[in-house]
Amino acid sequence: MNLELVTNTEVVHKQVYCGHPSGNNGENEPAEITYPTTEVVGHGSFGVVFTTTIKETDEDVAIKKVLQDRRFKNRELEIMKLLKHPNIIDLKYYFYEKDSHGEVYLNLILDYMPQSLYQRLRHFVHIPSAMPRLEIKCYMYQLFKSLNYLHNFALVCHRDIKPQNLLVDPNTCALKICDFGSAKQLKPTEPNVSYICSRYYRAPELIFGATHYSNQIDVWSSGCVMAELLLGQPMFPGESGIDQLVEIIKILGTPSRQEICAMNPNYMEHKFPQIKPIPLSRVFKKEDEQTVQFLADTLKYDPMERFNALQCLCSSYFDELRHAQGQLKQIVDSLQLLQFEYDTELAHLTQDQLEAVRLKLQPTQIR
Ligand SMILES: Nc1ncnc2c1ncn2[C@@H]1O[C@H](COP(=O)(O)OP(=O)(O)OP(=O)(O)O)[C@@H](O)[C@H]1O
């Protein structure tokens, strides 16, 4: 994404729809808003994003404008209408507009966040210094909180988790996932494309060509993001689709026959040079045992062995947040990290699981 400054300060009035249906009829109510067409714009592969302030509410927003194919519903819009979580960019409004050639554009009006995690990491690499370990922990916790909601309540797989799609506010340590342009509700019986997700973050089952993969691909990508924040550079910087697998094998070793089968039971070619794994404690020499163990739990070949989002939240890697004191406690409280909404975050658990999870996730709130 290239950033450039727009100098035009015209004010526009728009008839829009609210981002979420109100009432029982499932309809998105119309509304009227006014905003100046100013500020910074960015170019993504699917359209442009610019930021402005809605006059009526004084809210800072980002407007993502994408070309709308009239033949199809826009999946990003349909998914964003469903999502409401503190760690997911909220769809406030949307509207359509036509250009002079008759092309239709969809505009998504979203919560504004000051920067991406990619930009935040570049800031530290440039200084040069390491990103503070507690800041990384706060971001990773919020990432897994949003994935737990996405995977277990909305039943949506993001399919493009990467630092560019994680927006942060370094002043508060808040993180929100954005860009649902690749997201999909995966159905166990239906195949999905395996050429999805940005290369460095692509789960090995996708590289093995699986079409019946699960939400666990987002956990792999998240493990890669965390590794990158710790290392200051991508952990598996593959130069091509197949080289991506080579980069993974160089560290995790050659997957066993059983692991290949768990990634893609239809994969026929089982001849790989036998490479021994490098212990992650050697790759992450300066990190403590809990951090290294957490990375090992998220970067597993077998998607079923890999921790799911809720198991990640329960990891002892995050205990420091649960037992925080002083300034860290203020951050934990203001971001409401230990608050879980039963209906949208825990309702998929059995009673026994719920008790165990609550004991782990909310140790200070249960007497
Ligand atoms: N809500 C937001 N607040 C601030 N910046 C945003 C917001 N949404 C998007 N951006 C910026 O615009 C960039 C592109 O947004 P997004 O990823 O949704 O578009 P895209 O066209 O799918 O881009 P890409 O080709 O990079 O995938 C983000 O990486 C971020 O820098």
Side-chain angles (χ1 to χ4, degrees):
M1 155 120 349
N2 306 311
L3 296 174
E4 66 189 49
L5 217 57
V6 170
T7 47
N8 175 2
T9 54
E10 189 194 342
V11 172
V12 293
H13 303 275
K14 287 280 175 199
Q15 276 269 349
V16 296
Y17 293 101
C18 294
H20 304 284
S22 59
N24 296 331
N25 59 6
E27 298 275 317
N28 291 62
E29 294 288 323
E32 278 200 33
I33 58 166
T34 314
Y35 57 85
T37 57
T38 50
E39 301 306 315
V40 180
V41 298
H43 300 268
S45 46
F46 300 106
V48 293
V49 178
F50 66 97
T51 63
T52 185
T53 305
I54 304 216
K55 286 219 159 175
E56 287 78 359
T57 54
D58 204 28
E59 290 166 301
D60 290 334
V61 293
I63 304 187
K64 178 172 174 176
K65 180 173 175 174
V66 291
L67 188 62
Q68 170 68 43
D69 187 328
R70 289 166 199 257
R71 293 167 300 171
F72 305 109
K73 272 191 167 178
N74 181 290
R75 201 193 273 159
E76 183 171 12
L77 171 66
E78 295 309 311
I79 286 180
M80 291 215 77
K81 280 186 199 171
L82 297 175
L83 305 177
K84 197 122 194 79
H85 188 273
N87 304 117
I88 294 178
I89 284 291
D90 190 46
L91 175 67
K92 294 186 176 297
Y93 308 100
Y94 63 94
F95 64 91
Y96 295 93
E97 65 187 350
K98 240 189 218 175
D99 71 4
S100 53
H101 307 290
E103 297 280 16
V104 179
Y105 288 86
L106 168 65
N107 289 264
L108 303 171
I109 306 187
L110 310 161
D111 276 333
Y112 168 76
M113 289 289 274
Q115 56 179 254
S116 72
L117 196 49
Y118 178 81
Q119 291 166 316
R120 182 67 179 153
L121 181 59
R122 296 268 63 82
H123 161 79
F124 287 106
V125 170
H126 186 74
I127 293 177
S129 103
M131 189 184 276
R133 281 2 194 189
L134 268 175
E135 185 174 340
I136 297 178
K137 200 169 282 199
C138 282
Y139 292 147
M140 292 310 298
Y141 187 85
Q142 292 171 84
L143 173 54
F144 286 112
K145 215 164 185 258
S146 63
L147 290 185
N148 174 50
Y149 163 87
L150 264 189
H151 294 169
N152 293 313
F153 177 74
L155 307 178
V156 165
C157 186
H158 184 279
R159 304 201 298 178
D160 198 16
I161 296 293
K162 59 178 175 179
Q164 293 85 339
N165 287 340
L166 302 173
L167 302 181
V168 296
D169 182 343
N171 292 319
T172 60
C173 275
L175 173 142
K176 292 177 194 270
I177 304 188
C178 77
D179 192 1
F180 285 79
S182 305
K184 188 177 177 191
Q185 287 188 311
L186 306 180
K187 310 257 158 44
T189 52
E190 290 172 17
N192 308 290
V193 291
S194 54
Y195 50 90
I196 196 89
C197 198
S198 302
R199 196 188 311 131
Y200 300 165
Y201 311 93
R202 195 177 289 155
E205 57 269 36
L206 297 175
I207 309 173
F208 274 97
T211 51
H212 286 84
Y213 50 87
S214 70
N215 295 332
Q216 290 295 89
I217 63 166
D218 286 343
V219 173
W220 176 278
S221 307
S222 305
C224 295
V225 169
M226 173 164 159
E228 183 166 336
L229 298 180
L230 296 167
L231 297 170
Q233 58 187 48
M235 179 163 178
F236 304 123
E239 285 173 7
S240 65
I242 197 66
D243 185 49
Q244 187 58 33
L245 188 58
V246 173
E247 289 294 320
I248 296 171
I249 290 177
K250 277 202 271 187
I251 297 184
L252 297 192
T254 313
S256 66
R257 182 172 271 272
Q258 203 183 342
E259 284 170 326
I260 295 174
C261 196
M263 289 187 274
N264 184 3
N266 300 323
Y267 195 79
M268 299 299 175
E269 182 63 63
H270 286 278
K271 288 191 194 73
F272 286 101
Q274 288 304 306
I275 309 287
K276 280 208 188 119
I278 303 176
L280 288 184
S281 53
R282 232 196 289 155
V283 181
F284 297 92
K285 280 201 194 81
K286 294 191 196 133
E287 309 307 327
D288 61 29
E289 224 175 277
Q290 290 167 328
T291 307
V292 173
Q293 184 57 48
F294 184 68
L295 284 165
D297 292 330
T298 56
L299 296 174
K300 287 229 189 296
Y301 279 121
D302 183 342
M304 300 279 280
E305 293 260 309
R306 199 177 298 155
F307 269 18
N308 64 34
L310 190 59
Q311 285 174 308
C312 287
L313 287 172
C314 291
S315 163
S316 53
Y317 168 65
F318 291 119
D319 282 351
E320 198 174 359
L321 300 179
R322 292 184 266 268
H323 301 290
Q325 291 190 330
Q327 208 192 340
L328 179 61
K329 177 149 175 36
Q330 279 177 14
I331 295 173
V332 169
D333 288 347
S334 69
L335 294 171
Q336 302 197 323
L337 298 189
L338 305 189
Q339 308 296 315
F340 285 81
E341 196 181 283
Y342 174 77
D343 288 345
T344 59
E345 299 182 287
L346 301 171
H348 63 288
L349 299 173
T350 64
Q351 197 56 38
D352 284 354
Q353 289 170 331
L354 183 64
E355 272 169 37
V357 161
R358 279 223 160 117
L359 221 54
K360 185 72 200 176
L361 294 182
Q362 302 176 305
T364 52
Q365 292 170 34
I366 292 171
R367 311 252 174 256

